[in-house]
Amino acid sequence: MSPPLLQVNDLKKHFPVKSGLFGRKSEFVYAVDGVSFEIARGETLSLVGESGCGKSTVGRAILRLFDITAGQVILDGQRIDDAHPGTMRQMRRRVQVVFQDPFSSLNPRMRVRDILAEPIRNFGLAKSAEDLEVRVTSLMDTVRLPREALNRRPHEFSGGQRQRIGIARALAAEPELIVCDEAVSALDVSVKAQIVNLLQDLQSEFGLALLFISHDLAIVEHMTHRVAVMYLGKIVEIAPRREIFAAPRHPYTRALLSAVPLPEPGAQRNPIILKGDVPSPINPPKGCRFHTRCPLVFDRCRVEEPVLRAVGTEQWVACHLEDGTVATSG
Ligand SMILES: Nc1ncnc2c1ncn2[C@@H]1O[C@H](COP(=O)(O)OP(=O)(O)OP(=O)(O)O)[C@@H](O)[C@H]1O
Ligand SMILES: [Mg+2]
């Protein structure tokens, strides 16, 4: 059996920060603190959770934008967290990224033609100048932008069109996995839907896998195969779309979902309001990290950290309530 396209094993990323008077105290932000998951070829895994829970840090670790603190990132059976420079180059080609704001990630002085040609040249994908031209023009067709637009610069496009350029640039490298970090979050509702549809079309056309990072569960619901829910640097639940949306098991997942509007006009869920703020990732709570805000907290949660347990064939939950033992106090 071939390995999954991507395997992330017990990934940790702790950022050193200075704090205290005159910045004399050294502490760590436990941004990602022991995260494991897999993505199959052609699969979309969505990573959701409130701001600051570590979603982008997971994405950046996979893109190898920094050294990780601990754990492993394995692409197609090969470790990329400590790969040799030669292998690293190929790995970088195989995993591409689309960011939220293509304006800041697209060089404003470059024409679209050059923006798209750059990765093709960098990775030595074109056999000739003609081949380069064919690739660049067909990328425009793929993301449904007019070929004339090749001679324009990023500021001449709307937000949705710029995001298409960002997607075309990612595709230029012929990747197997694209990390989409809030790729549609800044767009208007109708444009959002168009870009999501485009991503889905590209996925089936090229057999692409997507790590779809989003805080917007309403968007995720329409396009993902599986969902991983993060809270303060950990995955608290991971399951196929149907299970997450129809039978969420973690109290945090339930609270997040209760805030998602229902499609039928006038219909409303019973929102679960979580008390308090998200604690600081510099000093995360002992035991279950969610215990300070959990409506179902009991004694064990304050002292013992729950591990991810299978509660179905493909559903995993880190909650003591799913342990089979009954809670004794509130
Ligand atoms: N370079 C850095 N140095 C120090 N702390 C960082 C750094 N990058 C991220 N962090 C911190 O790590 C935590 C996780 O950040 P991250 O950007 O991964 O969250 P996120 O889930 O993507 O949030 P958002 O939904 O707002 O994009 C946050 O507390 C953030 O402030
Ligand atoms: Mg982020």
Side-chain angles (χ1 to χ4, degrees), residues 199-226:
L199 284 169
Q200 283 183 295
D201 291 351
L202 298 177
Q203 174 162 58
S204 45
E205 194 176 339
F206 301 110
L208 278 171
L210 302 177
L211 177 64
F212 192 81
I213 297 173
S214 177
H215 62 269
D216 186 347
L217 276 157
I219 284 283
V220 162
E221 185 168 7
H222 298 292
M223 51 96 62
T224 201
H225 297 113
R226 284 188 305 136

Side-chain angles (χ1 to χ4, degrees), residues 137-174:
T137 45
S138 79
L139 281 167
M140 296 298 271
D141 301 346
T142 304
V143 299
R144 315 198 208 331
L145 283 175
R147 291 178 179 192
E148 306 87 78
L150 277 171
N151 293 319
R152 293 198 240 136
R153 287 171 225 277
H155 71 267
E156 297 174 62
F157 296 89
S158 68
Q161 287 172 325
R162 273 204 294 271
Q163 204 51 300
R164 286 174 196 266
I165 300 169
I167 293 168
R169 182 181 56 178
L171 290 174
E174 301 185 343

